[in-house]
Amino acid sequence: ETVLTQSPTTTAASPGEKVTITCRASSSVSYMHWYQQKSGASPKLWIYDTSKLASGVPNRFSGSGSGTSYSLIISSIESEDAATYYCQQKSSDPPITFGSGTKLEIK
Amino acid sequence: EVQLVESGGGLVQPGRSLKLSCLASGFTFSNYGMNWIRQAPGKGLEWVASISSSSSYIYYADTVKGRFTISRDNAKNTLYLQMTSLRSEDTALYYCARYGHGGRFDYWGQGVMVTVSS
């Protein structure tokens, strides 16, 4: 099983600041997907195939990485970005795994 | 518009069974793999089970293997999760999610709550 470790667990940033969320895999994966979940809502696909933005996602979001290290970057935080972000991988064999989540708070 | 609507949740005693349904609309259901993913209260996301478009391939998380059964009826555009021998640790919000290309979950339902308690 490929374990995904996200860091930080929680972070707080002021509007306009840059935030980086990291997801480290216990073994190499081909690509990473990211989801945004706001309080009381279902998760939404946010970034797929490591760096492609899902429909409607602002371009202040970006994704990068390879092998065992991946990142979700927000270049300039806005209040609407407050949410929990999860990474997810699917290798050729199950199980599909998610990171434990990073809660982003806006100061 | 893609819609996934789960139903069938509720309060159930430990050891009992429950069957969840997910009605899909807005896309050709028979062309897509589908999944169940759960989220315990205040916790993260846990993949539960996957089924391919024609039901040829089925996979389960170790935590539910032997107790849960995923199935689908393409004529009814419906995904199912039969849950037996339920435990308190199965208490969670259960989401159905469509399998997009590259193993991503591109659409999610609103979730249905399952509470296992005596």
Side-chain angles (χ1 to χ4, degrees):
Chain A
E1 173 178 335
T2 301
V3 176
L4 301 181
T5 303
Q6 280 186 242
S7 60
T9 303
T10 305
T11 188
S14 299
E17 288 186 351
K18 179 181 178 179
V19 168
T20 299
I21 298 170
T22 298
C23 181
R24 298 196 189 281
S26 59
S27 58
S28 183
V29 300
S30 300
Y31 38 71
M32 195 67 69
H33 310 306
W34 295 88
Y35 301 85
Q36 180 197 67
Q37 185 178 32
K38 294 195 173 184
S39 181
S42 303
K44 292 182 179 179
L45 179 65
W46 212 244
I47 295 174
Y48 64 96
D49 295 351
T50 301
S51 60
K52 299 175 183 176
L53 302 185
S55 177
V57 174
N59 60 13
R60 61 181 178 274
F61 285 86
S62 63
S64 66
S66 65
T68 60
S69 184
Y70 292 82
S71 297
L72 179 155
I73 302 137
I74 311 172
S75 61
S76 180
I77 289 285
E78 296 193 9
S79 58
E80 66 182 23
D81 300 335
T84 299
Y85 295 86
Y86 294 92
C87 56
Q88 174 248 321
Q89 67 80 30
K90 176 197 171 294
S91 62
S92 58
D93 298 317
I96 299 165
T97 53
F98 290 91
S100 55
T102 295
K103 185 175 183 179
L104 172 61
E105 299 172 341
I106 310 301
K107 293 178 183 175
Chain B
E1 178 194 7
V2 172
Q3 286 199 318
L4 300 169
V5 180
E6 301 95 336
S7 61
L11 174 63
V12 61
Q13 293 179 327
R16 303 298 290 264
S17 300
L18 201 63
K19 187 173 186 176
L20 306 182
S21 300
C22 171
L23 178 61
S25 61
F27 66 102
T28 304
F29 182 69
S30 58
N31 285 352
Y32 288 86
M34 297 293 295
N35 297 265
W36 288 99
I37 296 160
R38 68 185 181 184
Q39 187 170 35
K43 301 297 184 182
L45 301 170
E46 179 189 17
W47 168 78
V48 173
S50 295
I51 186 168
S52 63
S53 58
S54 60
S55 305
S56 298
Y57 301 97
I58 290 175
Y59 303 102
Y60 298 96
D62 286 346
T63 51
V64 306
K65 199 174 293 183
R67 300 187 299 120
F68 290 11
T69 302
I70 189 172
S71 63
R72 63 190 295 161
D73 185 335
N74 286 345
K76 295 182 177 179
N77 289 346
T78 304
L79 175 72
Y80 302 101
L81 186 68
Q82 176 70 54
M83 303 183 293
T84 64
S85 302
L86 282 161
R87 306 166 180 168
S88 57
E89 54 264 38
D90 296 319
T91 294
L93 188 61
Y94 285 73
Y95 297 101
C96 72
R98 193 179 82 168
Y99 232 164
H101 295 292
R104 61 187 181 264
F105 304 117
D106 57 0
Y107 289 94
W108 299 62
Q110 85 286 353
V112 62
M113 189 67 201
V114 172
T115 302
V116 184
S117 175
S118 55

